[in-house]
Each structure stands twice: as structure tokens, then as C-alpha cells.
Amino acid sequence: MMAAMGGVIFGYDIGISGGVTSMEPFLEKFFHQVYTKMKQDTEVSNYCKFDSQLLTSFTSSLYVAGLVASFFASWLTKSRGRKPSILLGGGAFLAGAALGGAASNVYMLIFGRVLLGVGVGFANQAVPLYLSEMAPPRYRGAINNGFQLSVGIGVLAANLINFGTEKIRSGYGWRISLSMAAVPAAILTVGAIFLPETPSSLIQLTNDKDRARRLLQRVRGTSEVQSELADLIEASELSKSIDHNPFRKILEAKTIGMGESASLMSAILTGAVGIATTFLSMVIVDRVGRRPLFLVGGVLMLVSQVLVGAIMAAELGDHGGIGKRYAVAVIVLIGFYVAGFGVSWGPLGWLVPSEIFPLEIRSAGQSIVVAVSFLFTFVVAQTFLSMLCHLKAGIFFFFGGWVVVMTVFVYLLLPETKGLPIEKMGDVWREHWFWNRVVVVGGPGVGEHLPAKFGEGGSQSSVVDL
């Protein structure tokens, strides 16, 4: 629970930024051009009211900072352990929350946002690794999905706070919203002091097998941990025997017409749906597996996107609003979209990458996962308002097309990983119809392609690099 608090700070920031950028006092103080366009320009299209590069810079600056920070986090996580990255992430987020809440100009506001990005970059890199390495194999999916559940809790908390602070008549509600990010950050920072390091990291950094054994016995609740400990020691020794740059190693072988308060209330409802479905994913992911949830979620997301786009294209023009029945239908469909995401891509997008990498590249691999996530989130954040202005309702069909690509990729190329010990993950790639032709085997003969028939050359316990 303490480690997953890193998800709360990420979710809180996602939710809080969307809410405060719709508050009129906030826009009037920092983004006056947008405020004027909203209040006085009657000719501007509904789809173009928020089209401002400065406003998108406020939102997207977090993701640029998180992208850069994730690579520094990789070095820290590998050389000093998972715990220091979590501590540093919480501390940076605390500083960012303080600066954002006290901001008197847009430069302070964006710099505070950058510090939040640094915090999120470190936390998102270390927390999923921490959860996967501490969890027993049969519960790894549920425990790691706790990270996305925490993201959902953070989003919902932010939406509830925004809904309340927006009603403060003196206009300083946005300061409370931004400053409250310090609460989960403080819990994470203080709590991380008392967290143990993971067994994998202990062996990798100190080679203290007795300490790692005691920790395993404590977190597993049994003294019979020799088999798991042996796997961890083997993976660590193999990792240390390979002199490589981990990043180089990875590259080898391959608003809709509603009022301000109503919009915030709809965010609360969809946030609640996200939490409920992510919790459902936690319960069933280790029973039904990763692939079925990805596929079901992808279909639900696609259908919702297409229907929302159709309603918006038919009912919302450049001016005026949308009928109440259609507005409710859009909210319901967005709820279905959030449900599909909450049961699949939301939690599993963190779970699967955190469990598939061998030890020697696990930290670097997770950094690339976080960096790619932040990169595309930055691209979307920076271009979304402009795309909305030009594509209008067509933007839903655009993103629906990407959902199709994602779902087909999973169907064809993602093997099932449920229930497999994290140090034995190479087996699923050896048995996959596509990846068995491009994986390379660690250990003796490092860098050689795996023979077509598993077992011919190399040992069955060899680590596989993708």
C-alpha cells in the first residue's frame, strides 16, 4: 500500500490539472487569452475555445520532465536500489506541489509542474518494479495492479477536491487543489523510509544472501523460500557476468456543453468507474490472465470511442450546446470507455512490462516503458487541443483507430504471463510462435539466437533478452 502511493501522486496530478484548467479564476490569472476567448469571443468554435499552446505547455511540461527523469531513475534504481528512487520521487513531488500552490506567475506554475514531473518520473519507474519484485508469483498481477488502482484513487480524489474548491467564491480554490498534492507525496516520502529493499535488489547490490533470505521469509510468510532465493541468486550472478550497457542490451535482437460544475461532476463519476474496474482487474487478473483482459478492454474502448464520435458529430456543432439526453449518453459511453481501460490497459500497461524483463536490464527496461509513456502522453497533451479544433468529432475515430492497433498487437504478439515466477519469464518467449525466432539467450553463449527447438544449446534457466 505504501509503495503504491506513488500511483496516487500520479493520478492526483492527472486529475487536478484537468480540473484547475477549467476554473475561471485560474485561467484569468495565468491564461488570460483563453479566459477572454471563453467569455467574450462568441464566434469561436466549441472545439477551439481551449486551443492555446501556453495552456498545453502547462499540462505537457510534466510529461517532458517525467520522460527525462525516468532515465536518471534507471541509473539510481539499478545502482542504489528501488527505495531511493521512491524517496526522491516523493520529495520532488512535495517541492512541486508547494511551488504550484504558491505560484504568482506562469513561470512558477510551470516550474512547479516540472518538479511534479520529476517526482512522477522517479516514482513511476521504481514503484511497478518494487511491487512486481516483492509480490509472490501467484498474486503478482493483483499486487502490481494496485499501482493503477492507486492512480484511479488519485484521479478521483483530485476530481472531488476540484468539485469542492471550484465553489470557493474568493477564487483561490485552485491553490488548494494544487497544494493538496503534497498530502500523498508526504505519505509516500515518509512511508518509503520504512520500506525494505526488494530481495532482487539486495542480492544485486550487496550479495547478502542471508539478509535476502530473511526478507523473503518475512514477506512470503514461510521458511520454505530456498527455490525462489536460488532463482534470484542465479539471475543476479548472470546479470553481473554480463558487461554491458543495459539500454544498448535492450536494443539487441529487437467539455461538451455542460456547466463547469457539471463537467467536474462527470469527472467524479468516471473516476469512480475507473477505480471499480481496476479493482475488478486486481481480483481476476491472476485467474483469467493478462491477454483476455487486454482483448475485452480493447473491444469495449473501441466501441465507446466510435459511438461517442458519432454522437458528437451528429449533435454538437461549432456553436451552441448538446441536448441533455445526448450529453448523458456521452457520459455513459465515456464511463464504458473508462471501464474498458480500467480493467485492461490501465493496470496491465504497468504490470506486463514490469514482469517480463530479466534482472540485468529490468531497471533500464522499466525506464524505457515510463519514458515512452511520457513521450506519447506529452505528444497527445501538446497536440490534443489543436487536433480537437481541426478534427472536431473526428478525433474520437482517430484514437479509436489506435485502439484497434493496440488490440491486434496484443492478440498476435503478447504471450500470457500469469502465474510464472518473474525470474523464469524467459520460458514464455521461447514458446511463442514469433518471439522464439528473435530472442537471444543469456549465460553461456550470450548473444546467440535461441535454437528453434527449446533445449538445444543453453540451459533451461537461461535469461532471455528481447
Side-chain angles (χ1 to χ4, degrees):
M1 289 176 63
M2 193 58 62
M5 190 61 65
V8 174
I9 65 174
F10 186 34
Y12 187 88
D13 191 78
I14 292 172
I16 216 68
S17 61
V20 297
T21 52
S22 70
M23 295 182 185
E24 292 185 3
F26 178 83
L27 292 174
E28 185 178 13
K29 183 173 181 62
F30 297 108
F31 306 98
H32 193 73
Q33 184 179 3
V34 176
Y35 176 77
T36 302
K37 191 188 299 185
M38 286 177 56
K39 303 298 289 185
Q40 300 177 8
D41 193 344
T42 58
E43 298 299 321
V44 68
S45 168
N46 280 322
Y47 294 96
C48 300
K49 288 182 178 179
F50 293 92
D51 186 12
S52 164
Q53 287 301 306
L54 184 61
L55 183 60
T56 55
S57 295
F58 164 71
T59 302
S60 61
S61 57
L62 177 141
Y63 304 109
V64 176
L67 188 158
V68 175
S70 66
F71 289 105
F72 288 97
S74 171
W75 171 82
L76 184 65
T77 303
K78 182 177 177 62
S79 62
R80 296 292 184 268
R82 283 56 170 150
K83 180 176 173 177
S85 284
I86 298 174
L87 277 168
L88 185 57
F93 206 88
L94 269 173
L99 197 60
S104 58
N105 56 62
V106 73
Y107 301 107
M108 285 182 66
L109 192 70
I110 292 178
F111 186 60
R113 184 84 172 159
V114 168
L115 288 176
L116 295 178
V118 172
V120 168
F122 274 87
N124 283 17
Q125 196 276 342
V127 167
L129 285 184
Y130 187 93
L131 294 174
S132 285
E133 291 182 348
M134 291 294 278
R138 66 183 181 276
Y139 298 130
R140 187 175 61 246
I143 290 175
N144 193 282
N145 280 8
F147 178 76
Q148 181 63 26
L149 178 67
S150 299
V151 173
I153 291 172
V155 171
L156 180 59
N159 290 331
L160 288 168
I161 289 171
N162 280 336
F163 185 71
T165 58
E166 177 267 332
K167 301 179 184 303
I168 297 176
R169 294 184 178 180
S170 57
Y172 65 84
W174 62 269
R175 291 192 184 274
I176 297 177
S177 293
L178 294 179
S179 299
M180 287 293 288
V183 175
I187 295 174
L188 176 67
T189 306
V190 175
I193 296 173
F194 302 97
L195 288 178
E197 191 53 82
T198 69
S200 293
S201 188
L202 280 177
I203 293 174
Q204 188 177 29
L205 296 175
T206 68
N207 203 32
D208 190 339
K209 299 178 180 63
D210 288 336
R211 186 179 172 193
R213 179 186 294 107
R214 291 194 299 270
L215 176 59
L216 276 175
Q217 290 172 340
R218 189 174 68 169
V219 298
R220 297 293 183 257
T222 176
S223 59
E224 302 300 323
V225 296
Q226 193 56 41
S227 177
E228 183 176 0
L229 181 63
D231 287 341
L232 295 176
I233 294 171
E234 181 182 6
S236 177
E237 290 175 350
L238 178 60
S239 173
K240 292 175 181 177
S241 70
I242 303 173
D243 183 17
H244 67 277
N245 180 314
F247 291 100
R248 186 170 64 247
K249 188 69 176 178
I250 287 177
L251 295 177
E252 292 178 4
K254 204 152 168 99
T255 71
I256 55 175
M258 295 183 290
E260 191 176 341
S261 293
S263 296
L264 292 173
M265 177 56 75
S266 69
I268 292 173
L269 296 176
T270 54
V273 170
I275 289 178
T277 52
T278 301
F279 183 78
L280 174 63
S281 180
M282 289 178 64
V283 173
I284 66 176
V285 66
D286 290 311
R287 300 177 186 177
V288 304
R290 283 65 161 152
R291 280 173 52 87
L293 293 182
F294 268 126
L295 298 176
V296 171
V299 171
L300 191 55
M301 290 162 65
L302 174 62
V303 172
S304 303
Q305 287 265 28
V306 170
L307 291 178
V308 168
I311 293 175
M312 298 288 278
E315 299 298 326
L316 184 63
D318 286 334
H319 304 286
I322 188 172
K324 185 175 181 180
R325 288 185 305 166
Y326 291 108
V328 171
V330 167
I331 293 175
V332 170
L333 287 169
I334 290 175
F336 278 111
Y337 177 88
V338 172
F341 181 80
V343 81
S344 61
W345 290 93
L348 302 186
W350 296 109
L351 166 61
V352 172
S354 72
E355 66 183 1
I356 64 173
F357 294 113
L359 181 61
E360 66 266 22
I361 61 168
R362 190 172 298 155
S363 179
Q366 184 66 19
S367 290
I368 292 177
V369 170
V370 174
V372 170
S373 175
F374 279 137
L375 173 62
F376 282 98
T377 306
F378 163 74
V379 171
V380 171
Q382 194 66 28
T383 61
F384 179 80
L385 294 177
S386 180
M387 290 174 63
L388 180 64
C389 182
H390 291 87
L391 296 179
K392 300 181 179 179
I395 198 167
F396 293 96
F397 301 108
F398 173 81
F399 285 108
W402 286 107
V403 173
V404 172
V405 173
M406 293 153 54
T407 306
V408 171
F409 177 89
V410 166
Y411 181 77
L412 295 177
L413 296 175
L414 183 69
E416 183 56 66
T417 56
K418 72 169 183 176
L420 194 65
I422 196 169
E423 306 302 338
K424 297 286 189 181
M425 197 58 67
D427 292 353
V428 298
W429 306 105
R430 289 189 256 268
E431 298 167 2
H432 191 267
W433 70 271
F434 177 79
W435 297 116
N436 66 4
R437 294 176 291 179
V438 296
V439 295
V440 291
V441 183
V446 172
E448 296 178 1
H449 285 277
L450 185 74
K453 183 179 179 182
F454 174 57
E456 297 178 1
S459 64
Q460 194 165 1
S461 61
S462 295
V463 175
V464 175
D465 298 341
L466 294 184

